[in-house]
Amino acid sequence: MAGEPQTDCLFCKIVTGDVPATIVRETDTTVAFRDINPQAPTHVLVIPRAHYPDAAALAAAAPELAADVLREAGEVAADEKLEAHGYRVVFNTGSGAGQTVFHAHAHVLGGRGLQWPPG
Ligand code: 5GP
Ligand code: ZN
């Protein structure tokens, strides 16, 4: 059923604490933690506690939860003092775009110059 925990999902295991992570923020509906392989001085992932395979599925099934993820991305940026120089919020969607974990997540990237268009 949409939103239910998946036993084989890495990020569901981070939500339950079965897999450790460096958590920087938590709300009733979201968890934010540092990426294990950071691509910028600040690289934080924001996930909904509930499991949806990607951002579009999340937004279609639970738009308020999608908004929670986006709001938390902004709070992470503020906490990490990224706003003055700008930052990027990325949802890789599909393996062809680099998605490797199929539990919706926002990458919050900042603390260095960011090229446009992204690679
Ligand atoms: P994707 O490639 O799906 O857009 O993003 C998945 C992200 O999860 C990658 O940036 C990867 O480095 C990160 N990641 C993979 N495994 C772990 C883990 O066990 N812990 C943490 N904190 N991040 C992980
Ligand atoms: Zn999951």
Side-chain angles (χ1 to χ4, degrees):
M1 201 168 119
E4 293 299 310
Q6 302 291 303
T7 50
D8 59 348
C9 173
L10 174 64
F11 287 177
C12 283
K13 290 177 182 162
I14 287 179
V15 170
T16 59
D18 291 320
V19 169
T22 303
I23 292 171
V24 297
R25 291 184 60 87
E26 287 189 89
T27 70
D28 287 350
T29 59
T30 65
V31 181
F33 53 94
R34 296 200 187 280
D35 196 291
I36 204 167
N37 182 24
Q39 301 301 311
T42 291
H43 187 172
V44 171
L45 304 175
V46 183
I47 65 173
R49 291 183 184 275
H51 179 97
Y52 295 92
D54 58 38
L58 166 64
E64 290 184 10
L65 183 53
D68 291 348
V69 170
L70 285 176
R71 187 182 316 107
E72 279 298 295
E75 294 293 342
V76 167
D79 289 353
E80 301 279 324
K81 307 204 177 338
L82 301 181
E83 291 164 312
H85 295 286
Y87 62 94
R88 192 163 288 156
V89 180
V90 175
F91 293 90
N92 293 328
T93 302
S95 55
Q99 187 177 4
T100 59
V101 178
F102 289 83
H103 179 131
H105 52 280
H107 296 257
V108 181
L109 296 150
R112 64 165 170 79
L114 295 166
Q115 294 184 335
W116 189 262

